[in-house]
Amino acid sequence: MNEGQEKKENSFMIKIATFIVDKRNLFFVLYVFAIIFCLIAKDWVKVENDITVYLPETTETRQGLDVMNREFVTYGTAEVMIDHISYEHAGKLAMQIEGITGVTSVTFDDTPEHYKEASAMLSITFDGETTDDISVQAMREIKAKLADYDTYISSEVDNDSAASLAKEMQVVIAVAALIIVAVLLFTSHAYAEVPVLLITFIVAAVLNMGTNFLLGKISFISDSVTVVLQLALAIDYAIILCHRFTEEKESLPVREAAIVALSKAIPEISSSSMTTISGLAALAFMHFKIGQDLAVVLVKAIILSLLSVFTLMPGLLVVFNNLMEKTVHKNLVPKISFIGKFAVKTRYMIPPVFCVIVIVAFYFSNQCPYCFSQGNIESSKQNEQTIARNKIKEKFGSKNLVALVVPAGDYEAEGKILEALEQYDEVDSTLGLSNVEAMDGYVLTDALTPRQFAELTDLDYEVAKLLYSAYSINDENYGEIVKGLDTTKVPLIDMFLFLHEELDKGYVTLDSDMQKSIDDLYEQLHDAQLQLSTEDYSRMLVYLTLPEESQETYDFLEVIRGEIGKYYDDFYIVGNSTSNLDLSSSFATDNIIISVLSALFVIIILFFTFQSAGLPVLLIVVIEGSIFMNFSFPYLENTSLYFLGYLVVSSIQMGANIDYAIVISSRYMELKKEMEPKKAIVESLNQAFPTIITSGAILAAAGVLIGKLSSDGVISSIGTCLGRGTIISIILVMCVLPQILLLGDIIIEKTAFTMKVPDKVQRTSGAIYVDGRVRGYVSGIVDANIHGVIKGDMRAMVDTSDLTPMQEVPESITAIEMQQEIGNTEGIEANENEE
């Protein structure tokens, strides 16, 4: 960038900053209206609690779920375990519960599946779906009836997991806020800086929550973690502007200090945010669409944080300035020169050791035991549902349900499939219209002749023939009538449903006992049909003895596929096991996408930021090393890691934690122009430490809190990995990166592609205002950064575009008077130019 372009850009930034600062009251009013709107709009946001919704549309599980949700009714169910109870007492309770309005049936018997070691298992089916009022009210009555018993209930009915998770996150946010305030008080220059920072980010958080409704629907993961991550990831931006303002106030009035600070901070903060945004943007390329959901919500959060810092915070700094000046306190952040000196002494030792550790960590992280079933995730905190599910699983085992969806109409094929599957040891039981017993040993799909149907229902044979004749006419199957109805066969379920329809119309009459039997049977058939059969599809349920997630389970799914494939070309197998298989299949690809794209985006940004090919690679090595170390822990601890925790946290580490390395590297690159590299690295750590400890402590605390206080396994795994990864990143950038910079200095210099233009020697005399680096003769030799007035003769190379001649200046001129003098001088020059 030449001098003219730089002046033009600076002038443009000054104009923008001036407008924002001078129109601060207008921005305050706009933000008040925006906050009011967003507080209302945040209740419009729809939260999706089902993670399978985000499966790729090409997966069998997603397609099968779409068909089932569209075609079938799935009634609510519950598993209720009652401890320390006799079999007889449990049987009485089962009968009482079955009598509750809204309960369809209660299954309980003396088999080991329902009674074991003084514990009873009641399997309850409701009249409505999970969220229907009739099911919810019935569940509340059940809980009230069993309130005095040692009971564990596992059910989605009357279980608002979103509300429960929201309450947990409110606790996380409250505790995080206390930690953040403590950190800011420790690292700030004035106590009044803290409310400015908090107001800025509370506004940004409210704006983000209120605008989420524009996305239509967001996942429960994005809804839960965004506020905490937004604050932790974007706190740097406000700190940078705040520190700039403090520096500029030393020589400028408040208004001018705010303008200059903002004009300098906009490019700096925008550049810093690009790495975070790019790392998060990599999530959007995942096949598993939860990544896109997280990317959009978090990137929007970062952008709104930038907007708040750029347009709201400057006005707040001006308003709070007097209070800030009254609450200035001693710098509490200690110097860490000892770490810098340690880096100098160990520069030949630490990098080789680090390389060995990274190689080992890479191997361990590749052995990480990932899991894809939410039921297998362990969290530090457990909610009531998780405790109940684990207790039931421990006593009675768990059920692994797989649904088979096939084209409707071929009852015989369905029966053969279920019969074949029941022969496998891996199958506990099956359920379909083709194996549900109706009456006298017949199953619902058995085809009966008129005589068989008449004998079954005690109908007169001639009446039965008339019924079959009417059925054939209704189906426009006139051939059966022509050739004779004696041998015509109709599936029992179809004929029962047709008979009930004819009874309703009054075309057929039965005695009261048979009428009642037909009515009762119709209710059961109607419910079964809604759940298991539609005009286009049939659904069969298979209960496996295998766990939801294992290679043995995945192999048996192929066996099931083979059995169905004997009769159908198009079909779906749907269940938690198939969902886990689809997720594990896409994970390998998503892992590569996240790793490559997040690193590539960051390298490109760093390449242009530092104008060096070598430095970005050195920084990426350090952060990649922290990622490998972070995900070695699950392997070493022999604990399962939910795959989403790896994908999300690795992208955040690459996009956000790299900022810590950038801060140190930027200071080092600047300082080594003025001093030798060894001294430059010590001073770089001293200058960068306040920023790193502030941002790092907040992000680490946020992660640890989410991991410890959330009972949701997915959220907890993300928080745990984020907190641990941030701590590892801080340690590496403080204790390993300095040594790498010292050893890699020659690589950085050799791979730089900046054009070094010789400094222009300035010859002048009199009073000169200088803001830049001066090297040469000024009534003596000077090689320093100067911010002030030089009075006398000067012959030196000046690295600045701000070299302003001044009128005679008194010896005791103040900084503010100096700025006013500069303004007068510039005004005189402007008038001369106009003339």
Side-chain angles (χ1 to χ4, degrees):
M1 183 183 295
N2 59 42
E3 185 175 329
Q5 288 175 320
E6 188 174 350
K7 281 185 175 180
K8 188 174 181 180
E9 182 176 321
N10 290 339
S11 175
F12 178 70
M13 287 298 174
I14 287 291
K15 289 180 180 178
I16 292 177
T18 301
F19 176 80
I20 292 172
V21 173
D22 288 347
K23 301 296 182 182
R24 56 187 177 274
N25 290 330
L26 171 63
F27 281 103
F28 290 159
V29 173
L30 292 176
Y31 272 104
V32 168
F33 283 113
I35 291 171
I36 293 173
F37 173 79
C38 287
L39 287 173
I40 298 172
K42 71 182 182 68
D43 293 329
W44 303 344
V45 180
K46 296 180 180 178
V47 179
E48 178 57 68
N49 294 308
D50 184 4
I51 201 169
T52 61
V53 170
Y54 298 95
L55 283 168
E57 294 179 359
T58 55
T59 60
E60 182 181 24
T61 303
R62 179 70 268 144
Q63 294 173 357
L65 285 171
D66 289 342
V67 170
M68 289 204 306
N69 292 334
R70 183 178 68 248
E71 298 284 338
F72 299 100
V73 172
T74 302
Y75 291 114
T77 60
E79 289 185 329
V80 179
M81 186 177 84
I82 308 174
D83 267 346
H84 310 109
I85 191 171
S86 67
Y87 175 77
E88 292 75 16
H89 194 174
K92 292 179 181 178
L93 285 176
M95 293 179 63
Q96 293 174 14
I97 291 173
E98 194 166 18
I100 293 176
T101 302
V103 175
T104 301
S105 63
V106 178
T107 304
F108 176 71
D109 51 43
D110 59 355
T111 61
E113 287 78 19
H114 289 282
Y115 191 79
K116 183 190 296 183
E117 300 172 359
S119 293
M121 168 65 73
L122 311 184
S123 298
I124 302 173
T125 302
F126 296 92
D127 287 342
E129 296 187 68
T130 301
T131 56
D132 290 349
D133 288 340
I134 191 170
S135 301
V136 173
Q137 291 301 323
M139 174 58 80
R140 291 175 181 173
E141 286 191 46
I142 292 171
K143 290 178 179 178
K145 183 173 288 295
L146 301 177
D148 296 331
Y149 295 88
D150 190 2
T151 308
Y152 301 94
I153 301 176
S154 176
S155 175
E156 292 303 315
V157 178
D158 195 29
N159 175 33
D160 193 347
S161 57
S164 176
L165 187 58
K167 290 180 180 178
E168 291 178 356
M169 295 312 298
Q170 288 174 1
V171 175
V172 171
I173 293 171
V175 178
L178 294 176
I179 294 176
I180 289 168
V181 170
V183 172
L184 293 177
L185 287 174
F186 179 74
T187 59
S188 63
H189 297 98
Y191 294 123
E193 291 178 5
V194 176
V196 173
L197 299 174
L198 291 180
I199 292 172
T200 302
F201 276 96
I202 289 172
V203 169
V206 172
L207 292 180
N208 194 50
M209 289 188 291
T211 53
N212 281 336
F213 81 94
L214 298 173
L215 304 177
K217 183 183 292 184
I218 63 173
S219 69
F220 72 96
I221 300 174
S222 299
D223 184 59
S224 301
V225 303
T226 298
V227 174
V228 180
L229 292 184
Q230 179 182 8
L231 179 56
L233 292 174
I235 192 69
D236 284 354
Y237 313 147
I239 293 174
I240 290 173
L241 178 57
C242 192
H243 287 179
R244 281 284 187 186
F245 177 69
T246 302
E247 292 171 4
E248 298 299 332
K249 278 199 307 178
E250 295 177 1
S251 57
L252 295 172
V254 173
R255 172 183 172 274
E256 286 72 16
I259 292 172
V260 174
L262 181 59
S263 67
K264 292 180 179 180
I266 290 177
E268 183 179 354
I269 294 173
S270 299
S271 176
S272 174
S273 68
M274 287 304 297
T275 55
T276 303
I277 291 175
S278 64
L280 296 173
L283 290 170
F285 292 89
M286 289 171 53
H287 289 99
F288 189 32
K289 296 305 180 183
I290 195 74
Q292 182 177 331
D293 179 81
L294 276 165
V296 172
V297 176
L298 286 173
V299 169
K300 179 165 67 71
I302 299 299
I303 292 174
L304 289 172
S305 295
L306 290 173
L307 182 66
S308 297
V309 169
F310 292 157
T311 59
L312 174 64
M313 189 173 173
L316 293 176
L317 289 172
V318 173
V319 171
F320 278 79
N321 176 68
N322 291 336
L323 189 58
M324 289 167 61
E325 290 183 350
K326 293 177 181 178
T327 58
V328 173
H329 61 79
K330 181 182 178 182
N331 185 9
L332 302 176
V333 181
K335 294 286 185 179
I336 55 168
S337 300
F338 66 95
I339 295 181
K341 294 176 181 177
F342 171 80
V344 173
K345 292 180 180 179
T346 59
R347 63 188 181 280
Y348 298 111
M349 185 194 320
I350 295 296
V353 173
F354 172 71
C355 290
V356 173
I357 293 176
V358 168
I359 294 172
V360 175
F362 174 75
Y363 172 78
F364 286 162
S365 63
N366 282 333
Q367 304 301 313
C368 182
Y370 296 106
C371 69
F372 302 90
S373 172
Q374 296 184 57
N376 292 336
I377 311 173
E378 296 181 0
S379 56
S380 300
K381 181 182 177 181
Q382 293 186 339
N383 57 27
E384 185 178 336
Q385 277 289 317
T386 304
I387 294 171
R389 186 170 59 247
N390 290 339
K391 287 283 188 180
I392 293 172
K393 183 177 180 180
E394 180 183 343
K395 182 64 68 76
F396 291 96
S398 59
K399 293 182 179 179
N400 185 4
L401 173 63
V402 175
L404 316 180
V405 181
V406 299
D410 193 343
Y411 293 138
E412 183 178 356
E414 293 175 27
K416 290 180 179 179
I417 291 171
L418 294 178
E419 184 179 355
L421 291 177
E422 285 179 344
Q423 304 306 312
Y424 290 95
D425 294 336
E426 292 86 350
V427 175
D428 181 49
S429 63
T430 63
L431 176 64
L433 291 179
S434 299
N435 66 356
V436 175
E437 185 175 346
M439 298 171 66
D440 295 346
Y442 288 112
V443 297
L444 291 176
T445 56
D446 280 342
L448 276 63
T449 63
R451 185 169 297 282
Q452 289 172 319
F453 188 77
E455 292 173 354
L456 179 66
T457 59
D458 287 337
L459 277 176
D460 182 78
Y461 175 61
E462 295 301 324
V463 174
K465 286 182 67 175
L466 288 173
L467 187 64
Y468 269 63
S469 177
Y471 180 87
S472 298
I473 294 172
N474 186 68
D475 277 7
E476 298 182 356
N477 192 1
Y478 304 109
E480 294 292 335
I481 300 175
V482 173
K483 70 179 184 180
L485 294 170
D486 290 338
T487 59
T488 300
K489 291 187 175 183
V490 178
L492 187 56
I493 183 173
D494 294 344
M495 186 51 69
F496 264 125
L497 293 173
F498 182 72
L499 173 59
H500 188 271
E501 183 180 340
E502 296 301 294
L503 288 169
D504 281 347
K505 293 178 181 177
Y507 298 154
V508 178
T509 58
L510 300 172
D511 61 67
S512 58
D513 291 339
M514 181 53 67
Q515 178 74 45
K516 185 177 185 308
S517 297
I518 294 297
D519 288 341
D520 291 343
L521 183 58
Y522 172 77
E523 292 296 329
Q524 298 177 33
L525 292 178
H526 181 65
D527 289 344
Q529 189 180 40
L530 289 175
Q531 297 181 78
L532 300 174
S533 179
T534 67
E535 184 177 344
D536 298 320
Y537 293 96
S538 288
R539 178 166 63 172
M540 296 171 281
L541 307 180
V542 180
Y543 293 89
L544 304 180
T545 58
L546 300 171
E548 288 185 355
E549 183 179 0
S550 72
Q551 189 58 50
E552 185 182 4
T553 305
Y554 301 153
D555 292 340
F556 189 70
L557 290 176
E558 292 304 313
V559 174
I560 297 176
R561 200 177 303 280
E563 293 291 350
I564 303 175
K566 295 176 182 178
Y567 305 96
Y568 299 97
D569 294 326
D570 297 322
F571 57 87
Y572 303 103
I573 302 177
V574 183
N576 288 338
S577 291
T578 60
S579 173
N580 297 335
L581 179 59
D582 287 335
L583 290 174
S584 63
S585 299
S586 66
F587 173 67
T589 304
D590 286 340
N591 186 14
I592 295 174
I593 290 174
I594 292 295
S595 300
V596 172
L597 289 183
S598 60
L600 180 62
F601 291 160
V602 171
I603 284 178
I604 292 173
I605 293 170
L606 296 181
F607 184 74
F608 288 102
T609 300
F610 290 106
Q611 299 183 350
S612 168
L615 184 56
V617 174
L618 296 178
L619 301 187
I620 290 294
V621 166
V622 173
I623 299 303
E624 278 290 0
S626 73
I627 294 174
F628 295 151
M629 293 179 192
N630 186 17
F631 295 103
S632 295
F633 278 81
Y635 170 74
L636 297 174
E637 296 171 351
N638 194 29
T639 57
S640 297
L641 171 65
Y642 192 62
F643 78 103
L644 199 57
Y646 174 83
L647 295 176
V648 173
V649 174
S650 61
S651 66
I652 291 178
Q653 272 194 263
M654 181 56 68
N657 292 170
I658 193 80
D659 284 348
Y660 310 151
I662 293 173
V663 171
I664 293 177
S665 302
S666 299
R667 301 295 175 107
Y668 173 70
M669 296 297 289
E670 293 176 4
L671 291 172
K672 75 173 186 175
K673 296 176 182 178
E674 305 171 10
M675 59 186 72
E676 61 174 328
K678 294 179 183 179
K679 293 182 178 178
I681 202 68
V682 174
E683 186 59 28
S684 296
L685 289 174
N686 279 328
Q687 292 184 13
F689 181 64
T691 301
I692 294 174
I693 196 62
T694 303
S695 177
I698 291 173
L699 185 57
V704 171
L705 285 172
I706 292 173
K708 295 296 183 183
L709 298 181
S710 176
S711 62
D712 184 275
V714 179
I715 304 296
S716 178
S717 65
I718 291 175
T720 299
C721 293
L722 180 61
R724 184 175 61 221
T726 301
I727 293 171
I728 294 172
S729 297
I730 293 173
I731 293 173
L732 291 186
V733 298
M734 297 297 295
C735 301
V736 176
L737 179 62
Q739 290 90 329
I740 291 177
L741 290 176
L742 288 172
L743 284 187
D745 198 60
I746 188 171
I747 298 176
I748 298 170
E749 293 295 334
K750 291 291 185 182
T751 57
F753 59 86
T754 53
M755 296 276 301
K756 292 189 176 181
V757 181
D759 293 325
K760 182 179 178 181
V761 176
Q762 304 279 352
R763 289 180 172 84
T764 183
S765 61
I768 303 296
Y769 170 74
V770 180
D771 184 8
R773 188 161 181 254
V774 177
R775 183 170 67 256
Y777 177 83
V778 186
S779 297
I781 302 298
V782 174
D783 185 359
N785 286 321
I786 295 178
H787 181 75
V789 176
I790 294 177
K791 183 181 178 183
D793 296 328
M794 182 178 75
R795 186 175 70 255
M797 288 182 291
V798 181
D799 183 16
T800 180
S801 59
D802 196 350
L803 189 66
T804 308
M806 299 179 63
Q807 299 174 358
E808 189 67 25
V809 182
E811 296 291 338
S812 59
I813 187 170
T814 64
I816 294 178
E817 292 170 338
M818 177 181 69
Q819 290 295 325
Q820 293 172 342
E821 183 65 30
I822 293 172
N824 292 336
T825 304
E826 291 175 345
I828 292 171
E829 290 178 350
N831 293 331
E832 290 175 350
N833 291 334
E834 290 176 2
E835 293 174 359

